[in-house]
Amino acid sequence: MRKNNILYMAAAFSLLLCGCSKEDAYPQDDADNAIGTVLSLQVNAAAYQSSTGTRATDAGTTTTFTSGDRLGVIITHQGGSTEHIVYTYNGSAWTSSAPFYYDPQDTYAAYYPYKESLVGKSLADVKAAFTPLTDQSDYSTGYAASDLMTCESATMNATKTLSITLTHAFSMLRMPTNIPVKSRCGDGKTYEYSGTGTDIAFHIGDTPYRAWVDGDGYARLIVSNSGSSIAVKSCYTVSGKRAETDCTITGFASGQYYTVAPPRADLGEYQLSNACVGDFYIKSSDGQSGFVFPKEALSLPESLKSSCLGVVLKVGKDESDDWKDDCQYKKKDGSTTMPTINGYVLALYDANNGSDCQWGSSGTQVDLTDMNRERYTGFYGYKNTQAIISFNEGKSGTLSSAFPATYHATEGYEASHSAPANSSGWFLPSAGQCKYWLNNKETLLASVRKATGDSSYSWKSYYWSSSERSSNPANFAWLADFYYSRVNDDLKSYNHYVRSCLAF
């Protein structure tokens, strides 16, 4: 298959096919006309050009080839019969299964990509038989297979190679995947930002076409030139909602690309009920509550960066199954029961100013019924944390000295990143919550990087949970092991990192 890349000028390349030995070729009767020369190819692939009439150096799409690509050469003999020769690119040269010889009385044309079903057809028939596919979402089998390029007349050049200049027979539509959008969030304000568009499709007339999404921020579609003007509807999903835009393209011509610029999409309300794993959790200006902001935003608006407390770890409270939560949550002040749990937030930063600490002293077991020791399931971090705090009350040691991980996850983190009054306040997640974190580590990490602006940030190797190990709980506790991507255990006296959670 061949790869299309955006460049700032049209480009071409030449590839020379090595000929056969002199013994395999018949004698050259006319050296000037290269009669009897084995056909070697010099292939120039033209670029798509912008429909706006800008200079060639401004934009364009050029074509290069990769190993396995096939090109068809159509030879029309003097009597009118045609012969198709297939050349295959091996990564450095074009080869054919047998040598073919140049005859100046023949005419030569070419097309790409080669298809067995087109053998015997003239170039005009090839163009007529070639139709862009409706599903071009896969590059090689959809987009590249739809991008017909042809050469009307190939000629022998001074180096006695057949010079082939391929030009695009169709046109290209493209749309940026960076979509301008706006949403009204839970604080009652409307924010404008850029989001990532997915599931991009173009509708031409009544026919939907699935586009190929390149890594350069564009969705692309090869379309036939059915007329000088076409109506296009572009559809895409952004922040979980489907949006579309209509436009009319005039001056439709082969070898040109047309950029569809979507208007700012109004996504309407984005409330707690719309929350998804990885969304940003923002503390309201009054300090009483928090709201969510879509993770699809390429970056947070400047006005929200300082009030972002974390990212949504999970949505909703489960009453059964692996992520069961039987905690009785109270608001941060501890006096009022939380009526609804919309989800859970993982803190944006490590606690203890990014330093590690012990879970607690070896030999001390939190001997309370509220301590849950399950390794892989259950969202019990809140009640485990409360059990540790209650267990330590009345004892001689402070929470910070007896149970450092719990202290840094609660009081210590609250001092620097105060939780909303209507939330549960910060707690140390349970082993089951750490497992859920591990299951969604890539999504959560992508959002943390956006919110902090640190694109190189990575999770630390180990984070303490609030769960003691089920066997020998006096000495061991569970932790999130990012090195092996599992819930593991370690001695309570060892040092590892802490990441706080809250329920909202």
Side-chain angles (χ1 to χ4, degrees):
M1 63 180 178
R2 54 113 169 70
K3 176 69 176 172
N4 286 28
N5 298 303
I6 286 294
L7 299 178
Y8 290 103
M9 62 181 298
F13 67 90
S14 298
L15 296 168
L16 182 63
L17 171 64
C18 296
C20 65
S21 66
K22 183 178 294 185
E23 288 76 15
D24 294 328
Y26 59 79
Q28 295 186 21
D29 297 325
D30 186 341
D32 291 337
N33 290 325
I35 296 174
T37 299
V38 174
L39 287 181
S40 299
L41 306 186
Q42 185 182 60
V43 181
N44 301 303
Y48 276 109
Q49 298 298 309
S50 173
S51 63
T52 61
T54 54
R55 300 186 311 275
T57 54
D58 288 340
T61 303
T62 192
T63 301
T64 57
F65 298 91
T66 58
S67 183
D69 284 351
R70 297 192 299 170
L71 177 147
V73 175
I74 303 175
I75 302 176
T76 303
H77 298 297
Q78 192 174 16
S81 63
T82 60
E83 184 177 6
H84 283 226
I85 306 172
V86 58
Y87 285 89
T88 303
Y89 186 55
N90 64 14
S92 60
W94 295 89
T95 61
S96 60
S97 59
F100 293 88
Y101 303 94
Y102 176 73
D103 187 337
Q105 297 187 57
D106 294 336
T107 59
Y108 298 84
Y111 67 94
Y112 176 91
Y114 171 84
K115 291 185 178 181
E116 287 82 355
S117 61
L118 301 176
V119 171
K121 296 182 182 295
S122 66
L123 187 60
D125 291 336
V126 167
K127 291 181 178 180
F130 216 100
T131 303
L133 300 171
T134 56
D135 186 356
Q136 299 179 29
S137 56
D138 179 81
Y139 179 80
S140 59
T141 62
Y143 178 84
S146 299
D147 191 10
L148 174 64
M149 291 189 291
T150 64
C151 173
E152 298 285 346
S153 179
T155 57
M156 187 64 72
N157 61 25
T159 61
K160 294 185 174 58
T161 57
L162 193 66
S163 179
I164 296 174
T165 299
L166 294 171
T167 59
H168 295 278
F170 300 134
S171 302
M172 181 181 72
L173 289 176
R174 71 174 193 173
M175 187 183 78
T177 56
N178 183 346
I179 308 295
V181 294
K182 62 180 179 180
S183 298
R184 183 177 174 85
C185 293
D187 62 345
K189 298 179 181 179
T190 297
Y191 296 92
E192 294 186 352
Y193 57 98
S194 294
T196 302
T198 59
D199 302 321
I200 296 174
F202 295 96
H203 290 248
I204 301 175
D206 296 327
T207 305
Y209 293 83
R210 294 184 62 196
W212 168 60
V213 178
D214 198 357
D216 66 348
Y218 284 94
R220 290 184 169 83
L221 185 79
I222 302 298
V223 294
S224 61
N225 307 314
S226 57
S228 60
S229 177
I230 63 169
V232 177
K233 179 171 70 174
S234 305
C235 303
Y236 45 91
T237 298
V238 60
S239 297
K241 293 187 178 182
R242 200 67 175 157
E244 62 183 47
T245 182
D246 295 293
C247 69
T248 299
I249 298 174
T250 58
F252 213 50
S254 300
Q256 293 185 345
Y257 70 86
Y258 304 81
T259 302
V260 177
R264 189 171 297 279
D266 187 351
L267 302 181
E269 301 285 332
Y270 199 85
Q271 304 298 322
L272 294 180
S273 59
N274 303 116
C276 298
V277 173
D279 278 356
F280 308 102
Y281 182 75
I282 314 296
K283 183 179 178 180
S284 299
S285 57
D286 60 7
Q288 295 299 302
S289 59
F291 61 94
V292 291
F293 195 84
K295 66 182 176 184
E296 287 83 1
L298 299 181
S299 63
L300 277 175
E302 287 295 327
S303 59
L304 297 180
K305 288 183 177 180
S306 62
S307 53
C308 181
L309 291 179
V311 295
V312 175
L313 172 67
K314 182 180 177 295
V315 176
K317 180 183 179 182
D318 292 349
E319 302 296 335
S320 59
D321 300 327
D322 290 345
W323 315 118
K324 179 181 179 180
D325 183 354
D326 60 4
C327 301
Q328 302 299 312
Y329 291 92
K330 292 186 176 182
K331 295 181 180 180
K332 188 173 73 170
D333 62 7
S335 61
T336 307
T337 299
M338 292 179 66
T340 303
I341 302 300
N342 295 289
Y344 312 81
V345 170
L346 184 69
L348 196 58
Y349 300 100
D350 291 341
N352 193 24
N353 293 318
S355 298
D356 54 12
C357 66
Q358 295 179 341
W359 194 93
S361 301
S362 294
T364 301
Q365 176 180 334
V366 180
D367 194 16
L368 293 177
T369 57
D370 280 342
M371 171 58 73
N372 186 282
R373 300 187 176 93
E374 292 182 24
R375 179 177 184 178
Y376 293 118
T377 61
F379 268 47
Y380 305 125
Y382 180 79
K383 72 176 186 179
N384 282 356
T385 300
Q386 296 303 312
I388 294 169
I389 293 172
S390 296
F391 179 80
N392 190 65
E393 288 178 353
K395 294 183 170 55
S396 57
T398 63
L399 186 66
S400 60
S401 60
F403 299 96
T406 299
Y407 167 78
H408 289 301
T410 57
E411 295 178 38
Y413 201 69
E414 172 67 20
S416 57
H417 300 82
S418 179
N422 290 337
S423 73
S424 67
W426 299 109
F427 57 83
L428 187 62
S430 65
Q433 283 166 314
C434 286
K435 175 61 176 173
Y436 201 89
W437 176 9
L438 287 164
N439 290 353
N440 295 278
K441 60 183 181 180
E442 297 301 331
T443 298
L444 296 168
L445 180 60
S447 294
V448 167
R449 286 174 172 175
K450 287 182 185 179
T452 60
D454 184 356
S455 60
S456 63
Y457 179 82
S458 294
W459 303 120
K460 304 297 195 306
S461 295
Y462 307 104
Y463 288 90
W464 283 121
S465 81
S466 58
S467 306
E468 293 177 321
R469 197 177 73 177
S470 51
S471 61
N472 195 1
N475 293 303
F476 289 88
W478 297 118
L479 51 76
D481 180 348
F482 281 87
Y483 190 83
Y484 289 106
S485 195
R486 65 183 181 181
V487 175
N488 213 334
D489 63 352
D490 210 346
L491 286 166
K492 293 179 174 180
S493 58
Y494 282 12
N495 281 31
H496 298 301
Y497 294 92
V498 172
R499 199 83 167 201
S500 304
C501 276
L502 63 76
F504 65 94

